[in-house]
Amino acid sequence: MAATHSHLISRTPSLPKSQKYPPNPFFLKPILPIKNPTSTTLSLRAVLSTPASQPKTHNFQQCFTKSEDGFLYCEGIKVQDVMDVVERRPFYLYSKPQITRNVEAYKDALEGLNSIIGYAIKANNNLKILEHLRNLGCGAVLVSGNELKLALHAGFDPTKCIFNGNGKLLEDLVLAAQEGVFVNIDSEFDLENIVTAARLAGKKVNVLLRINPDVDPQVHPYVATGNKNSKFGIRNEKLQWFLDAVKAHPNELKLVGAHCHLGSTITKVDIFRDAAVLMVDYIDLIRAQGFEIDYLNIGGGLGIDYHHTGAILPTPRDLIDTVRELVLSLNLNLIIEPGRSLIANTCCFVNRVTGVKTNGTKNFIVIDGSMAELIRPSLYGAYQHIELVSPPLTDAKISTFDVVGPVCESADFLGKDRELPTPPRGAGLVVHDAGAYCMSMASTYNLKMRPPEYWVEDDGSVSKIRHGETFEDHLRFFKDL
């Protein structure tokens, strides 16, 4: 076989000696020195002790800001300073105070209503973040048995947790029943499984009917969950069948509410009101049949300003005010399920520039991060704002770049057609608004290990809140096989 293909080696083409090409202007930039990293929390806290100076207003302002000196800051700390002391690899950097401010914005909006803020764990499942959200009074929204176990491990009150999903497994439903978690009924077989779980647990389950209201949320089809083509929820015309089925199992099921979820990245709150009006009609119908319906769950999905254009987007108060009177008129407890709007804008994905290249028609900034650590742009065509963490060199040319990673896929990009100063090798580059559906969707494709996570504390210090995975972690899965 080797002899058969030997000609492929011996006949490798070469360029004529007379061929000349213009120099690549990107190669003429200086190379930043590589610094030896330190990685202990103590060194971070000692070096980065600048107190946070952001005013504590309850809105979704950016915790990452560019100062007049040209450096990017997080709560008063230079991101470049963080890069200089942590391990030299891509990482996620959060603002703990911004997480608090986002929760407080929802609490303020819900004043006067009986409510549960159910944080959607799918958005970001970092244990330290979950413990902080629990301390702030949040419940949890779950879509898997492991998310349920993690919520319990983080200390969430089970009676403020909601178990969603169109394919919940029996063993996970048994745990939910034992713990007293709200469970959404999503289908005929789901109802049957919940009944079986209730019997196995010896507990009556508080259930909500997830009704598909067939409302178009006007978002990417991959994140639309409340229209007629969605795999989620029960069809409107099947409602009576489900009510009869619940009535037939009085020892296993207690119907306490109705639920809908429209989608994600929603920027028009009138859509929530449209859905709430429909849901209130269903609640009236359900109550007329003798059910004591106490809860309306309107889901989550509030969008954020990913483009950083200063667009005026709906706030939590705008969202709640669209349904407030409907909720009060029926004396309902309101459940909301924010994920992205609580956590997305609290975080940046921090990378270093490996190099800059051109193929003659396109320019590329190649970074050490990739679609493996942050897949939203590749998966949804999502836009996330990108910028350098330090001032550009005085002679840096502004060009149009695709920002790409080292993964062996043409889909491996973090941003396309971005106007940026040409960065030197080793320069810091961040992808903004990376707190939601980024680390939680990360993979080890091409054996790129999932990165570490850090946050800026309330006192302005920096702490590691998740260890980065290592090659040794990968080998561990094959030990003793």
Side-chain angles (χ1 to χ4, degrees), residues 287-469:
R287 281 180 169 177
Q289 298 193 32
F291 292 100
E292 297 178 3
I293 298 297
D294 296 320
Y295 293 90
L296 170 61
N297 185 338
I298 61 169
L302 193 62
I304 66 166
D305 182 16
Y306 276 115
H307 284 79
H308 287 211
T309 58
I312 299 175
L313 296 178
T315 65
R317 181 168 294 279
D318 294 329
L319 166 60
I320 301 305
D321 282 350
T322 63
V323 300
R324 183 183 303 276
E325 295 307 317
L326 289 170
V327 172
L328 290 173
S329 67
L330 291 181
N331 193 29
L332 291 166
N333 300 285
L334 181 65
I335 300 175
I336 56 171
E337 302 180 347
R340 182 189 319 276
S341 58
L342 281 185
I343 197 70
N345 74 339
T346 71
C347 176
C348 274
F349 180 46
V350 186
N351 310 266
R352 285 180 173 83
V353 174
T354 304
V356 184
K357 64 178 289 187
T358 181
N359 64 7
T361 58
K362 257 191 176 298
N363 302 321
F364 301 91
I365 297 174
V366 184
I367 59 174
D368 52 359
S370 71
M371 66 182 288
E373 296 93 348
L374 195 156
I375 199 173
R376 290 188 70 254
S378 300
L379 183 62
Y380 302 127
Y383 180 98
Q384 291 180 235
H385 186 60
I386 292 173
E387 64 180 326
L388 303 177
V389 306
S390 301
L393 299 172
T394 54
D395 60 344
K397 179 183 177 182
I398 295 178
S399 298
T400 302
F401 294 97
D402 284 4
V403 180
V404 301
V407 162
C408 191
E409 295 286 342
S410 295
D412 180 25
F413 63 89
L414 284 300
K416 289 191 171 184
D417 298 322
R418 304 301 176 90
E419 298 288 329
L420 291 166
T422 302
R425 191 180 306 173
L429 177 147
V430 300
V431 181
H432 280 279
D433 304 310
Y437 305 103
C438 293
M439 182 60 175
S440 67
M441 299 178 78
S443 74
T444 57
Y445 185 52
N446 283 191
L447 278 187
K448 284 181 64 60
M449 299 294 107
R450 278 179 280 258
E453 295 178 289
Y454 302 84
W455 69 12
V456 178
E457 302 268 11
D458 292 330
D459 64 0
S461 60
V462 173
S463 298
K464 179 182 279 189
I465 58 173
R466 176 175 171 142
H467 295 294
E469 296 179 10

Side-chain angles (χ1 to χ4, degrees), residues 106 110 113-120 139-142 158-164 181-184 206-208 256-261 272 294-300 319-320 323 327 332-338:
Y106 270 102
L110 290 162
L113 296 176
N114 294 321
S115 62
I116 295 174
I117 301 174
Y119 168 68
V141 174
L142 325 159
T159 64
K160 295 172 68 176
C161 293
I162 304 96
F163 193 11
N164 290 337
V181 170
F182 289 108
V183 179
N184 274 320
N206 289 326
V207 295
L208 294 84
V256 298
H259 174 223
C260 69
H261 194 291
F272 288 98
D294 296 320
Y295 293 90
L296 170 61
N297 185 338
I298 61 169
L319 166 60
I320 301 305
V323 300
V327 172
L332 291 166
N333 300 285
L334 181 65
I335 300 175
I336 56 171
E337 302 180 347

Side-chain angles (χ1 to χ4, degrees), residues 203-260:
K203 296 278 188 72
K204 183 182 291 190
V205 181
N206 289 326
V207 295
L208 294 84
L209 284 174
R210 179 167 181 171
I211 301 172
N212 186 328
D214 194 16
V215 172
D216 180 8
Q218 301 175 36
V219 297
H220 191 287
Y222 287 7
V223 292
T225 58
N227 56 35
K228 64 182 179 181
N229 295 319
S230 173
K231 70 175 183 177
F232 300 102
I234 66 174
R235 304 192 309 276
N236 303 342
E237 62 268 24
K238 289 283 290 184
L239 178 59
Q240 188 59 53
W241 184 95
F242 282 92
L243 296 179
D244 292 340
V246 172
K247 290 176 186 176
H249 298 94
N251 297 323
E252 294 85 12
L253 306 178
K254 181 179 181 182
L255 181 59
V256 298
H259 174 223
C260 69

Side-chain angles (χ1 to χ4, degrees), residues 114-135:
N114 294 321
S115 62
I116 295 174
I117 301 174
Y119 168 68
I121 288 183
K122 63 181 179 176
N124 188 308
N125 55 33
N126 183 288
L127 178 60
K128 306 304 290 185
I129 291 173
L130 296 183
E131 290 172 344
H132 182 50
L133 291 168
R134 177 212 67 205
N135 288 334

Side-chain angles (χ1 to χ4, degrees), residues 20-274:
K20 292 184 179 180
Y21 293 92
N24 185 338
F26 299 136
F27 293 165
L28 305 180
K29 301 298 181 183
I31 298 174
L32 292 184
I34 296 176
K35 298 183 179 181
N36 292 325
T38 58
S39 59
T40 65
T41 302
L42 288 177
S43 67
L44 285 171
R45 300 181 78 89
V47 174
L48 304 173
S49 58
T50 306
S53 58
Q54 291 270 8
K56 291 192 175 182
T57 55
H58 299 160
N59 56 44
F60 285 7
Q61 82 261 21
Q62 294 296 326
C63 53
F64 289 89
T65 55
K66 260 295 176 62
S67 184
E68 292 180 359
D69 61 7
F71 285 93
L72 182 68
Y73 286 79
C74 178
E75 304 290 351
I77 295 174
K78 281 184 182 179
V79 175
Q80 182 64 58
D81 287 346
V82 181
M83 294 179 66
D84 289 343
V85 296
V86 301
E87 54 189 302
R88 191 177 177 84
R89 60 188 291 187
F91 64 93
Y92 283 94
L93 178 64
Y94 298 81
S95 162
K96 185 178 182 181
Q98 185 66 42
I99 297 173
T100 302
R101 290 193 290 263
N102 289 351
V103 173
E104 292 300 324
Y106 270 102
K107 285 184 175 180
D108 288 352
L110 290 162
E111 189 174 358
L113 296 176
N114 294 321
S115 62
I116 295 174
I117 301 174
Y119 168 68
I121 288 183
K122 63 181 179 176
N124 188 308
N125 55 33
N126 183 288
L127 178 60
K128 306 304 290 185
I129 291 173
L130 296 183
E131 290 172 344
H132 182 50
L133 291 168
R134 177 212 67 205
N135 288 334
L136 293 172
C138 291
V141 174
L142 325 159
V143 288
S144 74
N146 282 338
E147 286 188 355
L148 170 55
K149 293 173 186 175
L150 186 61
L152 296 173
H153 183 82
F156 281 94
D157 179 353
T159 64
K160 295 172 68 176
C161 293
I162 304 96
F163 193 11
N164 290 337
N166 67 304
K168 299 183 285 292
L169 300 179
L170 178 59
E171 57 266 33
D172 299 332
L173 287 168
V174 171
L175 177 60
Q178 291 170 340
E179 297 292 337
V181 170
F182 289 108
V183 179
N184 274 320
I185 298 175
D186 191 88
S187 65
E188 292 88 343
F189 71 79
D190 196 36
L191 185 147
E192 292 174 3
N193 282 336
I194 297 168
V195 169
T196 301
R199 291 170 179 167
L200 292 172
K203 296 278 188 72
K204 183 182 291 190
V205 181
N206 289 326
V207 295
L208 294 84
L209 284 174
R210 179 167 181 171
I211 301 172
N212 186 328
D214 194 16
V215 172
D216 180 8
Q218 301 175 36
V219 297
H220 191 287
Y222 287 7
V223 292
T225 58
N227 56 35
K228 64 182 179 181
N229 295 319
S230 173
K231 70 175 183 177
F232 300 102
I234 66 174
R235 304 192 309 276
N236 303 342
E237 62 268 24
K238 289 283 290 184
L239 178 59
Q240 188 59 53
W241 184 95
F242 282 92
L243 296 179
D244 292 340
V246 172
K247 290 176 186 176
H249 298 94
N251 297 323
E252 294 85 12
L253 306 178
K254 181 179 181 182
L255 181 59
V256 298
H259 174 223
C260 69
H261 194 291
L262 303 179
S264 194
T265 68
I266 298 171
T267 57
K268 298 178 180 179
V269 292
D270 287 348
I271 293 170
F272 288 98
R273 179 173 176 83
D274 293 343

